[in-house]
Amino acid sequence: MVPPSPFAAWLEHLANPQLRATFGIGFCILFAFIGTFTYVNFVLVRPPLSLGPMELGFVYFVFLPSVVTTLWAGRAVHRYGTRPTLWGSLALAGVGLPLLLLPNLAAVLLGMILIGVGTFFAQATATGFVSRAATADRGAASGIYLACYFAGGLVGTVILGQIFDRIGWPACVAGIGLALGAAAVLAHPLKLQADLATAMRTA
């Protein structure tokens, strides 16, 4: 018996509307994450914040809360379902965006923490959904998701970099917000039978 072609598995996954939506969410998540944590550096080192190289290095301790809270993503999905968990994660990241525009280091750091926690949580939720939504060859589905995820990072770097250079940081933040909003829209169809059962238990 001839084993199925990997292209057949990819086409099957791409024909699944829930998986297609999740691939798009992955693209948007890293688009937003890269846009934030690449270009916020330039804001931190210029007035009025004016951080030095050593201080800038310590700023990235803002990722510690993300590492801890991501461990709870599976529990949140089990309790609330995929779609509400994604929406909550993306909303949390969105709350952090206006803080990045304030001329206050504590506010910017809090904004970075919220965006980190929200995007990490959304990423964990989306990857878990891919493994449950794929009807066959989950490895291929995860591979497509990761390809879309990293493509989002590459595209985000280019597009948001141009926006940052030509228009400025507020416009870059607006672009990040659009990416988070697009991910929230894409999350609308994400509902498996397991999520329906969860909703019935918690109703």
Side-chain angles (χ1 to χ4, degrees):
M1 183 177 178
V2 179
S5 165
F7 294 106
W10 295 345
L11 290 173
E12 180 181 348
H13 296 320
L14 292 171
N16 183 325
Q18 294 196 343
L19 285 176
R20 283 201 310 270
T22 313
F23 300 153
I25 290 168
F27 181 97
C28 293
I29 288 171
L30 197 58
F31 185 106
F33 181 87
I34 287 291
T36 301
F37 291 98
T38 299
Y39 300 107
V40 74
N41 290 307
F42 299 106
V43 175
L44 291 170
V45 298
R46 69 189 184 190
L49 301 179
S50 303
L51 296 187
M54 180 67 73
E55 296 168 313
L56 188 63
F58 284 117
V59 160
Y60 284 86
F61 280 105
V62 297
F63 288 127
L64 286 178
S66 305
V67 173
V68 175
T69 56
T70 300
L71 300 175
W72 300 333
R75 187 176 301 176
V77 170
H78 180 74
R79 181 169 183 178
Y80 302 110
T82 299
R83 188 169 59 185
T85 302
L86 268 173
W87 279 343
S89 304
L90 296 168
L92 183 66
V95 168
L97 290 179
L99 299 177
L100 300 180
L101 300 174
L102 299 178
N104 178 277
L105 180 60
V108 174
L109 292 178
L110 178 58
M112 294 171 69
I113 290 172
L114 293 175
I115 294 166
V117 170
T119 53
F120 272 55
F121 214 89
Q123 159 69 353
T125 302
T127 53
F129 184 85
V130 168
S131 66
R132 300 197 314 277
T135 56
D137 200 342
R138 290 182 173 87
S142 295
I144 296 172
Y145 175 84
L146 289 173
C148 293
Y149 178 75
F150 288 114
L154 291 172
V155 174
T157 300
V158 173
I159 292 179
L160 294 174
Q162 290 298 313
I163 291 174
F164 184 88
D165 286 340
R166 296 172 185 271
I167 308 176
W169 178 234
C172 186
V173 171
I176 296 165
L178 287 175
L180 294 174
V185 171
L186 288 168
H188 186 266
L190 304 190
K191 201 159 192 177
L192 296 176
Q193 192 62 39
D195 292 328
L196 294 173
T198 297
M200 292 177 65
R201 287 198 303 271
T202 57

